[in-house]
Amino acid sequence: MQPRPIHLDESPIRFENWRRRLPNWLQRFLPSGGGSHEDHHGKGMFGFTVFLLSESIIFLSFIFTYVALRLTTSNWLPPGISGPKLSTFVIINTVILLSSSFVIQPAENALRRNKLKKFRWLWLMTIVMGSYFLIAQIIEWKNLDFKLTTGLVGSTFYLLTGFHGLHILAGVVLQIIMLVRSFIPGNYNKTHFGVSAATLFWHFVDVVWVFLFSLLYIWQA
């Protein structure tokens, strides 16, 4: 049996030396070993991080468009429209979503330490919290006094929250898949890239919501 090839780091910037100077939490998202053939997890996380950066560009374009329209539109709210309100319901929903990041990370850490039962319970709790956010957001949409076609305030609000909601839904689906796979004997013995990617994705959508919450509700208030 021939040994697996090792792809040495021959770039002029010496990527591996540069990588070692980074914090440990950041090193986990980058390939190691000079791009070794065996480093599937590191290369996978690096590729997934690049994907999230591309997603952030889309969100940033939507956010900048919202800010530009808000600053240049004199009659932002049509007559009789109060717009999105910073209610207790919205605050509770936001707290639940942001708190889920402090649940999903210990879940991944538990899987790293082979504590499968603890991982399942914490992972399931994250799924419930994400699902609650989606349901609560739909309820909020139904109680708003404006629709998608209600001027710029309607089109921008539903575009931003709807696009973010799709990412929350995708994150919940990914988490369900990872939870189901945890019941396959030995599935996570060699690698848990899917769990790490889903965790990083969830942190991403939580950070995005902080910006959307500030723009849509705090600025509105």
Side-chain angles (χ1 to χ4, degrees), residues 5-21:
I6 301 295
H7 305 287
L8 299 178
D9 184 7
E10 299 177 347
S11 63
I13 62 174
R14 295 297 179 184
F15 176 78
E16 185 63 21
N17 293 336
W18 174 76
R19 176 186 175 277
R20 289 171 182 164
R21 297 182 184 140

Side-chain angles (χ1 to χ4, degrees), residues 67-84:
V67 172
L69 291 174
R70 183 74 185 274
L71 293 176
T72 57
T73 303
S74 56
N75 297 322
W76 179 253
L77 293 175
I81 301 298
S82 60

Side-chain angles (χ1 to χ4, degrees), residues 156-194:
T156 54
F157 176 84
Y158 283 102
L159 174 64
L160 288 170
T161 58
F163 191 61
H164 178 263
L166 286 177
H167 282 72
I168 292 290
L169 178 60
V172 170
V173 171
L174 285 174
Q175 292 168 22
I176 293 174
I177 294 174
M178 294 303 107
L179 180 63
V180 171
R181 289 177 64 86
S182 72
F183 291 94
I184 302 176
N187 182 72
Y188 292 130
N189 287 348
K190 293 183 179 180
T191 179
H192 54 274
F193 164 72

